[in-house]
Amino acid sequence: MSGKPILHYFNGRGRMECIRWLLAAAGVEFEEKLIEKPEDLDKLKNDGSLLFQQVPMVEIDGMNLVQTRAILNYIATKYNLYGKDIKERALIDMYSEGVADLGEMIMLLPLCPAAEKDAKVTLIREKTTNRFLPAFENSCSTSFPQVIIFQPNFYLLKPNLVFSTQWNFMVILRAWMMEALRATLEPG
């Protein structure tokens, strides 16, 4: 059976968003079954669909795939978007893990005790500015000269250039991460 993939997640971006982007980049139509109430998640847990009792979960090719990176790797491999060789896949994995590390710091900020929040925000800003974003920028300017930098927070690919969509995703993700960071760090 090779129908449309079915995505199971909450009504939000979260860990499913990069999966949506990769499917869209691959030109794959998909359906979404939103988890709107606790009973929806309980049903997936109770019927054995969720290996680790958590989402995201994608029904594809007769499987129930869980774990965001496993899902991304499967989709990227299936649609020939995971680099042309082992070296390119290793680079893709390194930058993907860097984005995951940065995203995790931002996602965990709301759980930080109020007394520690200012110090955590400062640490996130420092690591983002001095560690993560320079690495991504260096990658784009040296490894991928196809990328045009319009402004410090936004990249656009030159037209008619083909390379791994995961790289396209990483470049686009930078703008999204900056927006998420800005939204998280702005006084509420």
Side-chain angles (χ1 to χ4, degrees):
M1 179 177 142
S2 72
K4 292 180 185 178
I6 301 171
L7 284 53
H8 296 266
Y9 200 66
F10 306 102
N11 188 13
R13 293 181 185 145
R15 295 183 182 272
M16 186 62 84
E17 190 68 359
C18 55
I19 296 165
R20 292 181 188 107
W21 286 1
L22 190 58
L23 286 167
V28 176
E29 291 184 25
F30 55 87
E31 296 177 24
E32 294 198 64
K33 289 191 178 176
L34 297 178
I35 297 170
E36 297 177 344
K37 51 191 183 288
E39 295 80 23
D40 297 336
L41 184 59
D42 289 341
K43 182 182 183 307
L44 290 172
K45 287 178 179 179
N46 294 334
D47 73 12
S49 296
L50 302 176
L51 181 63
F52 298 108
Q53 304 297 303
Q54 61 192 26
V55 290
M57 190 262 287
V58 175
E59 292 179 50
I60 186 170
D61 297 335
M63 299 182 294
N64 293 332
L65 293 179
V66 296
Q67 299 299 97
T68 304
R69 290 182 203 130
I71 296 166
L72 289 171
N73 287 343
Y74 183 84
I75 292 167
T77 301
K78 177 179 171 111
Y79 296 103
N80 298 314
L81 302 173
Y82 196 27
K84 68 180 186 287
D85 58 30
I86 194 167
K87 287 183 180 181
E88 208 170 271
R89 286 189 296 277
L91 288 171
I92 290 167
D93 289 343
M94 286 190 322
Y95 288 102
S96 296
E97 290 296 316
V99 169
D101 289 348
L102 178 56
E104 188 173 301
M105 284 191 306
I106 294 168
M107 284 192 307
L108 293 176
L109 185 61
L111 304 175
C112 183
E116 299 171 18
K117 194 164 193 161
D118 287 342
K120 192 70 156 177
V121 166
T122 300
L123 179 64
I124 291 171
R125 281 189 177 138
E126 184 274 323
K127 284 184 176 181
T128 300
T129 304
N130 299 322
R131 181 187 300 180
F132 290 99
L133 298 183
F136 299 144
E137 287 170 357
N138 184 52
S139 164
C140 290
S141 63
T142 59
S143 302
F144 298 96
Q146 307 93 320
V147 177
I148 301 171
I149 301 174
F150 279 103
Q151 51 183 283
N153 296 332
F154 183 74
Y155 296 116
L156 186 67
L157 300 171
K158 292 181 184 176
N160 302 322
L161 292 171
V162 179
F163 60 99
S164 169
T165 301
Q166 277 247 332
W167 283 112
N168 299 358
F169 162 73
M170 296 300 296
V171 169
I172 294 166
L173 186 60
R174 182 178 192 282
W176 177 82
M177 291 297 289
M178 286 306 298
E179 181 58 31
L181 180 62
R182 220 180 339 270
T184 302
L185 299 180
E186 284 178 359

PDB file of all heavy atoms in Angstrom, residues 30-60:
ATOM      1  N   PHE A  30       0.333  14.644   1.959  1.00  0.00           N
ATOM      2  CA  PHE A  30       0.116  13.854   3.167  1.00  0.00           C
ATOM      3  C   PHE A  30      -1.175  14.285   3.839  1.00  0.00           C
ATOM      4  O   PHE A  30      -1.719  15.348   3.544  1.00  0.00           O
ATOM      5  CB  PHE A  30       1.306  14.003   4.132  1.00  0.00           C
ATOM      6  CG  PHE A  30       1.632  15.423   4.507  1.00  0.00           C
ATOM      7  CD1 PHE A  30       1.004  16.052   5.578  1.00  0.00           C
ATOM      8  CD2 PHE A  30       2.577  16.142   3.781  1.00  0.00           C
ATOM      9  CE1 PHE A  30       1.307  17.358   5.917  1.00  0.00           C
ATOM     10  CE2 PHE A  30       2.887  17.451   4.117  1.00  0.00           C
ATOM     11  CZ  PHE A  30       2.258  18.059   5.190  1.00  0.00           C
ATOM     12  N   GLU A  31      -1.646  13.426   4.721  1.00  0.00           N
ATOM     13  CA  GLU A  31      -2.822  13.730   5.530  1.00  0.00           C
ATOM     14  C   GLU A  31      -2.374  13.914   6.965  1.00  0.00           C
ATOM     15  O   GLU A  31      -1.333  13.394   7.367  1.00  0.00           O
ATOM     16  CB  GLU A  31      -3.830  12.580   5.469  1.00  0.00           C
ATOM     17  CG  GLU A  31      -4.404  12.329   4.103  1.00  0.00           C
ATOM     18  CD  GLU A  31      -5.345  11.118   4.089  1.00  0.00           C
ATOM     19  OE1 GLU A  31      -5.903  10.768   5.165  1.00  0.00           O
ATOM     20  OE2 GLU A  31      -5.511  10.524   3.015  1.00  0.00           O
ATOM     21  N   GLU A  32      -3.171  14.631   7.732  1.00  0.00           N
ATOM     22  CA  GLU A  32      -2.878  14.786   9.153  1.00  0.00           C
ATOM     23  C   GLU A  32      -4.080  14.364   9.971  1.00  0.00           C
ATOM     24  O   GLU A  32      -5.208  14.711   9.649  1.00  0.00           O
ATOM     25  CB  GLU A  32      -2.510  16.238   9.478  1.00  0.00           C
ATOM     26  CG  GLU A  32      -1.214  16.655   8.833  1.00  0.00           C
ATOM     27  CD  GLU A  32      -0.621  17.894   9.460  1.00  0.00           C
ATOM     28  OE1 GLU A  32      -0.255  17.841  10.652  1.00  0.00           O
ATOM     29  OE2 GLU A  32      -0.527  18.907   8.755  1.00  0.00           O
ATOM     30  N   LYS A  33      -3.817  13.595  11.007  1.00  0.00           N
ATOM     31  CA  LYS A  33      -4.833  13.253  11.995  1.00  0.00           C
ATOM     32  C   LYS A  33      -4.385  13.904  13.289  1.00  0.00           C
ATOM     33  O   LYS A  33      -3.462  13.426  13.962  1.00  0.00           O
ATOM     34  CB  LYS A  33      -4.959  11.742  12.161  1.00  0.00           C
ATOM     35  CG  LYS A  33      -5.610  11.064  10.968  1.00  0.00           C
ATOM     36  CD  LYS A  33      -5.964   9.628  11.261  1.00  0.00           C
ATOM     37  CE  LYS A  33      -6.658   9.009  10.074  1.00  0.00           C
ATOM     38  NZ  LYS A  33      -6.921   7.587  10.291  1.00  0.00           N
ATOM     39  N   LEU A  34      -5.002  15.010  13.599  1.00  0.00           N
ATOM     40  CA  LEU A  34      -4.596  15.771  14.776  1.00  0.00           C
ATOM     41  C   LEU A  34      -5.044  15.098  16.064  1.00  0.00           C
ATOM     42  O   LEU A  34      -6.142  14.546  16.145  1.00  0.00           O
ATOM     43  CB  LEU A  34      -5.163  17.187  14.713  1.00  0.00           C
ATOM     44  CG  LEU A  34      -4.682  18.047  13.543  1.00  0.00           C
ATOM     45  CD1 LEU A  34      -5.360  19.414  13.584  1.00  0.00           C
ATOM     46  CD2 LEU A  34      -3.174  18.200  13.556  1.00  0.00           C
ATOM     47  N   ILE A  35      -4.181  15.169  17.029  1.00  0.00           N
ATOM     48  CA  ILE A  35      -4.504  14.692  18.372  1.00  0.00           C
ATOM     49  C   ILE A  35      -5.099  15.891  19.102  1.00  0.00           C
ATOM     50  O   ILE A  35      -4.401  16.835  19.442  1.00  0.00           O
ATOM     51  CB  ILE A  35      -3.241  14.173  19.077  1.00  0.00           C
ATOM     52  CG1 ILE A  35      -2.697  12.977  18.304  1.00  0.00           C
ATOM     53  CG2 ILE A  35      -3.536  13.828  20.534  1.00  0.00           C
ATOM     54  CD1 ILE A  35      -1.339  12.522  18.750  1.00  0.00           C
ATOM     55  N   GLU A  36      -6.404  15.851  19.267  1.00  0.00           N
ATOM     56  CA  GLU A  36      -7.120  16.999  19.820  1.00  0.00           C
ATOM     57  C   GLU A  36      -7.523  16.826  21.274  1.00  0.00           C
ATOM     58  O   GLU A  36      -7.820  17.801  21.953  1.00  0.00           O
ATOM     59  CB  GLU A  36      -8.343  17.295  18.949  1.00  0.00           C
ATOM     60  CG  GLU A  36      -7.938  17.681  17.525  1.00  0.00           C
ATOM     61  CD  GLU A  36      -9.126  17.901  16.608  1.00  0.00           C
ATOM     62  OE1 GLU A  36     -10.251  17.472  16.970  1.00  0.00           O
ATOM     63  OE2 GLU A  36      -8.930  18.490  15.536  1.00  0.00           O
ATOM     64  N   LYS A  37      -7.540  15.584  21.743  1.00  0.00           N
ATOM     65  CA  LYS A  37      -7.926  15.345  23.136  1.00  0.00           C
ATOM     66  C   LYS A  37      -7.131  14.160  23.663  1.00  0.00           C
ATOM     67  O   LYS A  37      -6.601  13.357  22.879  1.00  0.00           O
ATOM     68  CB  LYS A  37      -9.433  15.134  23.259  1.00  0.00           C
ATOM     69  CG  LYS A  37     -10.015  14.104  22.319  1.00  0.00           C
ATOM     70  CD  LYS A  37     -11.543  14.160  22.338  1.00  0.00           C
ATOM     71  CE  LYS A  37     -12.164  13.110  21.487  1.00  0.00           C
ATOM     72  NZ  LYS A  37     -12.073  13.250  20.078  1.00  0.00           N
ATOM     73  N   PRO A  38      -7.017  14.024  24.964  1.00  0.00           N
ATOM     74  CA  PRO A  38      -6.222  12.928  25.544  1.00  0.00           C
ATOM     75  C   PRO A  38      -6.622  11.551  25.026  1.00  0.00           C
ATOM     76  O   PRO A  38      -5.770  10.681  24.844  1.00  0.00           O
ATOM     77  CB  PRO A  38      -6.477  13.058  27.044  1.00  0.00           C
ATOM     78  CG  PRO A  38      -6.848  14.483  27.253  1.00  0.00           C
ATOM     79  CD  PRO A  38      -7.573  14.907  25.998  1.00  0.00           C
ATOM     80  N   GLU A  39      -7.896  11.371  24.733  1.00  0.00           N
ATOM     81  CA  GLU A  39      -8.371  10.075  24.253  1.00  0.00           C
ATOM     82  C   GLU A  39      -7.750   9.712  22.900  1.00  0.00           C
ATOM     83  O   GLU A  39      -7.521   8.526  22.604  1.00  0.00           O
ATOM     84  CB  GLU A  39      -9.910  10.056  24.152  1.00  0.00           C
ATOM     85  CG  GLU A  39     -10.628  10.183  25.475  1.00  0.00           C
ATOM     86  CD  GLU A  39     -10.708  11.641  25.989  1.00  0.00           C
ATOM     87  OE1 GLU A  39     -10.614  12.592  25.188  1.00  0.00           O
ATOM     88  OE2 GLU A  39     -10.859  11.800  27.212  1.00  0.00           O
ATOM     89  N   ASP A  40      -7.488  10.714  22.068  1.00  0.00           N
ATOM     90  CA  ASP A  40      -6.860  10.454  20.763  1.00  0.00           C
ATOM     91  C   ASP A  40      -5.462   9.868  20.946  1.00  0.00           C
ATOM     92  O   ASP A  40      -5.088   8.910  20.264  1.00  0.00           O
ATOM     93  CB  ASP A  40      -6.768  11.739  19.928  1.00  0.00           C
ATOM     94  CG  ASP A  40      -8.129  12.327  19.586  1.00  0.00           C
ATOM     95  OD1 ASP A  40      -9.128  11.585  19.571  1.00  0.00           O
ATOM     96  OD2 ASP A  40      -8.179  13.546  19.317  1.00  0.00           O
ATOM     97  N   LEU A  41      -4.704  10.436  21.861  1.00  0.00           N
ATOM     98  CA  LEU A  41      -3.364   9.924  22.131  1.00  0.00           C
ATOM     99  C   LEU A  41      -3.440   8.552  22.801  1.00  0.00           C
ATOM    100  O   LEU A  41      -2.681   7.644  22.457  1.00  0.00           O
ATOM    101  CB  LEU A  41      -2.569  10.908  22.997  1.00  0.00           C
ATOM    102  CG  LEU A  41      -1.120  10.536  23.285  1.00  0.00           C
ATOM    103  CD1 LEU A  41      -0.320  10.373  21.998  1.00  0.00           C
ATOM    104  CD2 LEU A  41      -0.477  11.603  24.175  1.00  0.00           C
ATOM    105  N   ASP A  42      -4.372   8.400  23.730  1.00  0.00           N
ATOM    106  CA  ASP A  42      -4.545   7.107  24.400  1.00  0.00           C
ATOM    107  C   ASP A  42      -4.858   5.993  23.398  1.00  0.00           C
ATOM    108  O   ASP A  42      -4.350   4.876  23.523  1.00  0.00           O
ATOM    109  CB  ASP A  42      -5.664   7.182  25.446  1.00  0.00           C
ATOM    110  CG  ASP A  42      -5.275   8.006  26.651  1.00  0.00           C
ATOM    111  OD1 ASP A  42      -4.063   8.226  26.865  1.00  0.00           O
ATOM    112  OD2 ASP A  42      -6.184   8.445  27.387  1.00  0.00           O
ATOM    113  N   LYS A  43      -5.679   6.300  22.402  1.00  0.00           N
ATOM    114  CA  LYS A  43      -6.020   5.296  21.383  1.00  0.00           C
ATOM    115  C   LYS A  43      -4.761   4.825  20.653  1.00  0.00           C
ATOM    116  O   LYS A  43      -4.565   3.625  20.458  1.00  0.00           O
ATOM    117  CB  LYS A  43      -7.033   5.859  20.393  1.00  0.00           C
ATOM    118  CG  LYS A  43      -7.471   4.851  19.341  1.00  0.00           C
ATOM    119  CD  LYS A  43      -8.448   5.479  18.349  1.00  0.00           C
ATOM    120  CE  LYS A  43      -8.954   4.492  17.324  1.00  0.00           C
ATOM    121  NZ  LYS A  43      -7.955   3.752  16.603  1.00  0.00           N
ATOM    122  N   LEU A  44      -3.900   5.759  20.253  1.00  0.00           N
ATOM    123  CA  LEU A  44      -2.660   5.389  19.566  1.00  0.00           C
ATOM    124  C   LEU A  44      -1.748   4.562  20.478  1.00  0.00           C
ATOM    125  O   LEU A  44      -1.123   3.604  20.037  1.00  0.00           O
ATOM    126  CB  LEU A  44      -1.918   6.633  19.086  1.00  0.00           C
ATOM    127  CG  LEU A  44      -2.558   7.407  17.936  1.00  0.00           C
ATOM    128  CD1 LEU A  44      -1.830   8.722  17.701  1.00  0.00           C
ATOM    129  CD2 LEU A  44      -2.580   6.564  16.668  1.00  0.00           C
ATOM    130  N   LYS A  45      -1.689   4.959  21.743  1.00  0.00           N
ATOM    131  CA  LYS A  45      -0.859   4.215  22.698  1.00  0.00           C
ATOM    132  C   LYS A  45      -1.402   2.805  22.902  1.00  0.00           C
ATOM    133  O   LYS A  45      -0.646   1.830  22.900  1.00  0.00           O
ATOM    134  CB  LYS A  45      -0.821   4.930  24.055  1.00  0.00           C
ATOM    135  CG  LYS A  45       0.005   6.190  24.061  1.00  0.00           C
ATOM    136  CD  LYS A  45      -0.064   6.849  25.440  1.00  0.00           C
ATOM    137  CE  LYS A  45       0.765   8.096  25.519  1.00  0.00           C
ATOM    138  NZ  LYS A  45       0.680   8.731  26.850  1.00  0.00           N
ATOM    139  N   ASN A  46      -2.714   2.702  23.066  1.00  0.00           N
ATOM    140  CA  ASN A  46      -3.333   1.412  23.384  1.00  0.00           C
ATOM    141  C   ASN A  46      -3.370   0.449  22.209  1.00  0.00           C
ATOM    142  O   ASN A  46      -3.377  -0.764  22.404  1.00  0.00           O
ATOM    143  CB  ASN A  46      -4.743   1.616  23.941  1.00  0.00           C
ATOM    144  CG  ASN A  46      -4.714   2.315  25.290  1.00  0.00           C
ATOM    145  OD1 ASN A  46      -3.728   2.229  26.027  1.00  0.00           O
ATOM    146  ND2 ASN A  46      -5.781   3.025  25.605  1.00  0.00           N
ATOM    147  N   ASP A  47      -3.393   0.960  20.975  1.00  0.00           N
ATOM    148  CA  ASP A  47      -3.434   0.042  19.830  1.00  0.00           C
ATOM    149  C   ASP A  47      -2.040  -0.368  19.359  1.00  0.00           C
ATOM    150  O   ASP A  47      -1.899  -1.071  18.363  1.00  0.00           O
ATOM    151  CB  ASP A  47      -4.290   0.592  18.686  1.00  0.00           C
ATOM    152  CG  ASP A  47      -3.650   1.750  17.935  1.00  0.00           C
ATOM    153  OD1 ASP A  47      -2.452   2.032  18.116  1.00  0.00           O
ATOM    154  OD2 ASP A  47      -4.366   2.379  17.125  1.00  0.00           O
ATOM    155  N   GLY A  48      -1.003   0.061  20.090  1.00  0.00           N
ATOM    156  CA  GLY A  48       0.358  -0.365  19.784  1.00  0.00           C
ATOM    157  C   GLY A  48       1.046   0.409  18.676  1.00  0.00           C
ATOM    158  O   GLY A  48       2.101  -0.003  18.194  1.00  0.00           O
ATOM    159  N   SER A  49       0.453   1.522  18.263  1.00  0.00           N
ATOM    160  CA  SER A  49       1.031   2.307  17.162  1.00  0.00           C
ATOM    161  C   SER A  49       2.286   3.065  17.558  1.00  0.00           C
ATOM    162  O   SER A  49       3.116   3.376  16.705  1.00  0.00           O
ATOM    163  CB  SER A  49       0.006   3.314  16.633  1.00  0.00           C
ATOM    164  OG  SER A  49      -1.090   2.650  16.063  1.00  0.00           O
ATOM    165  N   LEU A  50       2.417   3.383  18.839  1.00  0.00           N
ATOM    166  CA  LEU A  50       3.514   4.239  19.291  1.00  0.00           C
ATOM    167  C   LEU A  50       4.550   3.423  20.058  1.00  0.00           C
ATOM    168  O   LEU A  50       4.354   3.080  21.217  1.00  0.00           O
ATOM    169  CB  LEU A  50       2.975   5.372  20.183  1.00  0.00           C
ATOM    170  CG  LEU A  50       1.925   6.270  19.531  1.00  0.00           C
ATOM    171  CD1 LEU A  50       1.407   7.284  20.549  1.00  0.00           C
ATOM    172  CD2 LEU A  50       2.483   6.968  18.300  1.00  0.00           C
ATOM    173  N   LEU A  51       5.654   3.153  19.418  1.00  0.00           N
ATOM    174  CA  LEU A  51       6.706   2.332  20.014  1.00  0.00           C
ATOM    175  C   LEU A  51       7.142   2.864  21.380  1.00  0.00           C
ATOM    176  O   LEU A  51       7.328   2.099  22.317  1.00  0.00           O
ATOM    177  CB  LEU A  51       7.908   2.270  19.058  1.00  0.00           C
ATOM    178  CG  LEU A  51       9.101   1.441  19.511  1.00  0.00           C
ATOM    179  CD1 LEU A  51       8.716  -0.031  19.672  1.00  0.00           C
ATOM    180  CD2 LEU A  51      10.245   1.573  18.511  1.00  0.00           C
ATOM    181  N   PHE A  52       7.303   4.168  21.489  1.00  0.00           N
ATOM    182  CA  PHE A  52       7.746   4.755  22.757  1.00  0.00           C
ATOM    183  C   PHE A  52       6.641   5.565  23.443  1.00  0.00           C
ATOM    184  O   PHE A  52       6.919   6.424  24.276  1.00  0.00           O
ATOM    185  CB  PHE A  52       8.982   5.635  22.533  1.00  0.00           C
ATOM    186  CG  PHE A  52      10.158   4.855  22.011  1.00  0.00           C
ATOM    187  CD1 PHE A  52      10.570   4.994  20.695  1.00  0.00           C
ATOM    188  CD2 PHE A  52      10.833   3.958  22.830  1.00  0.00           C
ATOM    189  CE1 PHE A  52      11.647   4.261  20.204  1.00  0.00           C
ATOM    190  CE2 PHE A  52      11.913   3.230  22.353  1.00  0.00           C
ATOM    191  CZ  PHE A  52      12.316   3.377  21.035  1.00  0.00           C
ATOM    192  N   GLN A  53       5.407   5.307  23.047  1.00  0.00           N
ATOM    193  CA  GLN A  53       4.243   5.947  23.671  1.00  0.00           C
ATOM    194  C   GLN A  53       4.228   7.455  23.507  1.00  0.00           C
ATOM    195  O   GLN A  53       3.756   8.180  24.375  1.00  0.00           O
ATOM    196  CB  GLN A  53       4.160   5.580  25.169  1.00  0.00           C
ATOM    197  CG  GLN A  53       4.127   4.094  25.439  1.00  0.00           C
ATOM    198  CD  GLN A  53       2.884   3.435  24.855  1.00  0.00           C
ATOM    199  OE1 GLN A  53       1.780   3.809  25.173  1.00  0.00           O
ATOM    200  NE2 GLN A  53       3.077   2.465  23.976  1.00  0.00           N
ATOM    201  N   GLN A  54       4.785   7.957  22.394  1.00  0.00           N
ATOM    202  CA  GLN A  54       4.823   9.405  22.151  1.00  0.00           C
ATOM    203  C   GLN A  54       4.768   9.679  20.654  1.00  0.00           C
ATOM    204  O   GLN A  54       5.041   8.814  19.842  1.00  0.00           O
ATOM    205  CB  GLN A  54       6.093  10.018  22.751  1.00  0.00           C
ATOM    206  CG  GLN A  54       7.371   9.459  22.148  1.00  0.00           C
ATOM    207  CD  GLN A  54       8.610   9.836  22.934  1.00  0.00           C
ATOM    208  OE1 GLN A  54       8.552  10.082  24.120  1.00  0.00           O
ATOM    209  NE2 GLN A  54       9.741   9.885  22.247  1.00  0.00           N
ATOM    210  N   VAL A  55       4.368  10.878  20.316  1.00  0.00           N
ATOM    211  CA  VAL A  55       4.332  11.326  18.922  1.00  0.00           C
ATOM    212  C   VAL A  55       5.467  12.334  18.731  1.00  0.00           C
ATOM    213  O   VAL A  55       6.007  12.823  19.720  1.00  0.00           O
ATOM    214  CB  VAL A  55       2.949  11.966  18.598  1.00  0.00           C
ATOM    215  CG1 VAL A  55       1.874  10.903  18.584  1.00  0.00           C
ATOM    216  CG2 VAL A  55       2.591  13.082  19.563  1.00  0.00           C
ATOM    217  N   PRO A  56       5.868  12.587  17.497  1.00  0.00           N
ATOM    218  CA  PRO A  56       5.151  12.364  16.253  1.00  0.00           C
ATOM    219  C   PRO A  56       5.211  10.911  15.793  1.00  0.00           C
ATOM    220  O   PRO A  56       6.116  10.169  16.143  1.00  0.00           O
ATOM    221  CB  PRO A  56       5.891  13.267  15.254  1.00  0.00           C
ATOM    222  CG  PRO A  56       7.272  13.378  15.787  1.00  0.00           C
ATOM    223  CD  PRO A  56       7.134  13.338  17.277  1.00  0.00           C
ATOM    224  N   MET A  57       4.205  10.580  14.976  1.00  0.00           N
ATOM    225  CA  MET A  57       4.158   9.265  14.347  1.00  0.00           C
ATOM    226  C   MET A  57       3.669   9.474  12.923  1.00  0.00           C
ATOM    227  O   MET A  57       2.764  10.277  12.674  1.00  0.00           O
ATOM    228  CB  MET A  57       3.210   8.328  15.089  1.00  0.00           C
ATOM    229  CG  MET A  57       3.308   6.872  14.619  1.00  0.00           C
ATOM    230  SD  MET A  57       2.068   6.366  13.434  1.00  0.00           S
ATOM    231  CE  MET A  57       0.618   6.270  14.437  1.00  0.00           C
ATOM    232  N   VAL A  58       4.314   8.784  11.987  1.00  0.00           N
ATOM    233  CA  VAL A  58       3.921   8.858  10.582  1.00  0.00           C
ATOM    234  C   VAL A  58       3.621   7.443  10.092  1.00  0.00           C
ATOM    235  O   VAL A  58       4.458   6.548  10.217  1.00  0.00           O
ATOM    236  CB  VAL A  58       5.039   9.494   9.715  1.00  0.00           C
ATOM    237  CG1 VAL A  58       4.670   9.453   8.237  1.00  0.00           C
ATOM    238  CG2 VAL A  58       5.320  10.925  10.153  1.00  0.00           C
ATOM    239  N   GLU A  59       2.424   7.273   9.545  1.00  0.00           N
ATOM    240  CA  GLU A  59       2.071   6.021   8.881  1.00  0.00           C
ATOM    241  C   GLU A  59       2.533   6.151   7.440  1.00  0.00           C
ATOM    242  O   GLU A  59       2.080   7.041   6.707  1.00  0.00           O
ATOM    243  CB  GLU A  59       0.556   5.811   8.893  1.00  0.00           C
ATOM    244  CG  GLU A  59      -0.040   5.563  10.255  1.00  0.00           C
ATOM    245  CD  GLU A  59      -1.544   5.384  10.183  1.00  0.00           C
ATOM    246  OE1 GLU A  59      -2.022   4.574   9.342  1.00  0.00           O
ATOM    247  OE2 GLU A  59      -2.247   6.063  10.949  1.00  0.00           O
ATOM    248  N   ILE A  60       3.475   5.283   7.039  1.00  0.00           N
ATOM    249  CA  ILE A  60       4.014   5.342   5.686  1.00  0.00           C
ATOM    250  C   ILE A  60       4.518   3.952   5.296  1.00  0.00           C
ATOM    251  O   ILE A  60       5.134   3.266   6.121  1.00  0.00           O
ATOM    252  CB  ILE A  60       5.134   6.410   5.583  1.00  0.00           C
ATOM    253  CG1 ILE A  60       5.615   6.601   4.148  1.00  0.00           C
ATOM    254  CG2 ILE A  60       6.287   6.100   6.514  1.00  0.00           C
ATOM    255  CD1 ILE A  60       6.543   7.810   3.956  1.00  0.00           C
TER     256      ILE A  60
END
